[in-house]
Amino acid sequence: MNSAAHRPGIWSIRGPISQRRYWILAAIGLITPILAWWLVASTGWVEKVFMPSPGAVWDRTLLWATEDNLLQDTGISVYRVTMGWLLSAVIAMPLGMLIGTFRPVQAVLEPLTDFIRYMPAVAFIPLVMLWIGIDEGSKIAIIFIGTFFQMVLMVAEDVRRVPMQQIEAAQTMGATRAEILQLVLLPSAKPALVDTMRITMGWAWTYLVVAELVAANSGLGYAILKAQRFLQTDKIFAGIILIGLIGLLTDQMFRFLHRKAFPWMHKKS
Amino acid sequence: MDAQEVVSAAPKIRVRGLGKVFGEPPAEVRALDNVSLDVLQNEFVTLVGASGCGKSTLLRIIGGLEYHTSGELLADGKPVSGPGADRAMVFQHYSLYPWLRVLGNIKFSRRLGVNRRHITSADVEVAEGRADALLRLMGLSACHNAYPNQLSGGMQQRVAIARALMNRPAILLMDEPFGALDAQTREVMHDLILHVFRLERSTIVFVTHDVEEAIYLGQRVVLMAPRPGRIDTIYQVPFGAERNQDLKHTPEFLRMKNEILGRIRQTSGMETDTEMLQQLSRTTQD
Ligand SMILES: Nc1ncnc2c1ncn2[C@@H]1O[C@H](COP(=O)(O)OP(=O)(O)OP(=O)(O)O)[C@@H](O)[C@H]1O
Ligand SMILES: [Mg+2]
């Protein structure tokens, strides 16, 4: 009867953990570095130029929002990231599906993509400036280059992971190739695809600062770079934290979408 | 002799001198060699044999999921050149669509073009009725709204069978469909599939490694032998259409089971294994 006594502890491998414990630990994980930061900054061990206090960063953020154009900077950055990522997704989804489904397409495109994805996206900046110029298109292009090639391969892999039995069952029910793509491969891979989109969105954000190196005059990445020139360390902190928060927010949005759209994955007996 | 009789006398599936080689030289695998088998209309044939003797390969070739490299294969008198709605396949697992509920899985084939051409509202009604009947037949009515991963393995296989039957396929191909189920569930499924077989008058080819299952279900048991995969013996099962679990304890049944098991052991080269075991025990005793 005393089964509780035999419940595996939280340190057993892949052991269970209660919701409450999980969130307490998560809060500790988030608060500790902030506390450490505040401690280091307030004791004055480190010069303000190198490490501003949380309070100073907060004040700077407010100043940025009221006197400067924090909103525009955030808006334009979100726009660039979204556009670069969306462009990637729109092309990578069908292409990846074809690579994961038809061997000839895989043979033609996968080794090539594998090769290109190892080229550093940053190194394309001069080329992009030469070809596209220095307007919005070039920033979107950098983010595109940074995410697209990885995304194609991940989408292909997601589609390849659909169990062969699901495909063959449809074939023996008389499904055509188009029907299998539409009624089996796509819905079966969809949860994995949403996860891929979530992960690549994170990468798109990491390429933002790189993209805004390209003669930008607005955006969070640009603001961070400019702040460095003026030794406004607090603004650098604010910018980085802001990007982190936006990333966290989109990530949670994707997870929420995942739970809503695929109840069959989350609903166990 | 009227035309009806001629049609029913022609085999539903005709396999003639069929061979299958996987891969290209020098890494060829000869999976099937000179296999000939006729499966009659409304016949239940079971395939048994040692692991790797090509049972799945033969079934998949009949289903059009694999192609043969020599010989001839006809279904309903026509050469098989790929999978088709006339030959539904039930797999051991992973074939259900986890994003569809039970009813959605069963009615999946209704969404395919083959079943949507020239349909009338009467056809749709008939299909609805059939889906309902299958739910009841398979004992799935209570969980028609569940997702596959909320069901037990036995229930999942019921869904898979119902889905395959939905379209009234002329031929039902099953590859160890109960292989992952426990003994009790399996017995229930055996009686269920026999019931379905009588009701639907389908033609079934059923692969299994369980000899008892093969005899209990089949009208003929086809024993295959490995290296290269071929048909060794075909046993006519002397029991009628009405069967129940007691049959498994009759001397006749047991004799047949032992005979087939013995033959599988001979064809699989298990003798050499016993020799090896003796050798092993000798070396460990030293
Ligand atoms: N896709 C493949 N490529 C190469 N060889 C294959 C392939 N599929 C099967 N084989 C080989 O063909 C032979 C027959 O395999 P098959 O799966 O038909 O055997 P089986 O009788 O179904 O065995 P089991 O009882 O283990 O399911 C085996 O030697 C196997 O290794
Ligand atoms: Mg097999």
Side-chain angles (χ1 to χ4, degrees), chain A residues 28-129:
Chain A
I28 292 173
L30 283 169
I31 292 169
T32 310
I34 297 175
L35 215 64
W37 170 25
W38 175 80
L39 217 68
V40 169
S42 62
T43 49
W45 288 335
V46 185
E47 259 185 81
K48 262 197 172 57
V49 194
F50 297 124
M51 181 150 313
S53 69
V57 171
W58 177 247
D59 290 342
R60 170 64 75 176
T61 312
L62 287 182
L63 206 67
W64 190 0
T66 50
E67 318 262 288
D68 217 341
N69 28 27
L70 173 70
L71 226 55
Q72 284 97 311
D73 281 335
T74 310
I76 192 73
S77 286
V78 168
Y79 168 76
R80 285 167 186 157
V81 168
T82 311
M83 288 312 283
W85 171 84
L86 213 57
L87 195 65
S88 284
V90 165
I91 306 174
M93 284 276 210
L95 212 56
M97 279 205 74
L98 291 176
I99 292 175
T101 308
F102 298 109
R103 298 305 291 270
V105 184
Q106 180 189 357
V108 171
L109 293 179
E110 204 170 43
L112 177 72
T113 313
D114 254 328
F115 172 54
I116 298 177
R117 98 186 149 110
Y118 279 107
M119 303 178 179
V122 188
F124 279 93
I125 292 179
L127 263 186
V128 167
M129 287 174 80

Side-chain angles (χ1 to χ4, degrees), chain B residues 22 29 31 50-57 176:
Chain B
F22 280 111
V29 178
S51 182
C53 69
K55 304 181 293 289
S56 297
T57 305
E176 305 198 24

Side-chain angles (χ1 to χ4, degrees), chain A residues 166 168 170-172 179 264 267, chain B residues 60 84 89 97 99 113 149:
Chain A
Q166 289 184 3
E168 291 182 336
Q171 285 176 328
T172 65
E179 283 170 335
W264 50 275
K267 210 190 271 181
Chain B
R60 290 171 57 78
M89 181 92 116
Y97 300 129
W99 63 95
N149 69 2

Side-chain angles (χ1 to χ4, degrees), chain A residues 163-176 179 183-185 187-189 263-269, chain B residues 60 63 65 83-85 87-89 91 93-99 108-109 111-114 147 149-150 163 167:
Chain A
M164 197 60 201
Q165 289 94 327
Q166 289 184 3
I167 298 166
E168 291 182 336
Q171 285 176 328
T172 65
M173 285 186 270
T176 62
E179 283 170 335
L183 299 176
V184 179
L185 288 174
S188 189
W264 50 275
M265 287 208 95
H266 303 275
K267 210 190 271 181
K268 277 272 177 191
S269 33
Chain B
R60 290 171 57 78
L65 296 175
R87 285 155 288 131
M89 181 92 116
F91 300 83
H93 39 211
Y94 307 129
S95 79
L96 288 181
Y97 300 129
W99 63 95
F108 180 82
S109 58
R111 295 158 68 187
L112 304 176
V114 274
Y147 287 110
N149 69 2
Q150 297 174 293
R163 183 181 64 181
N167 243 352

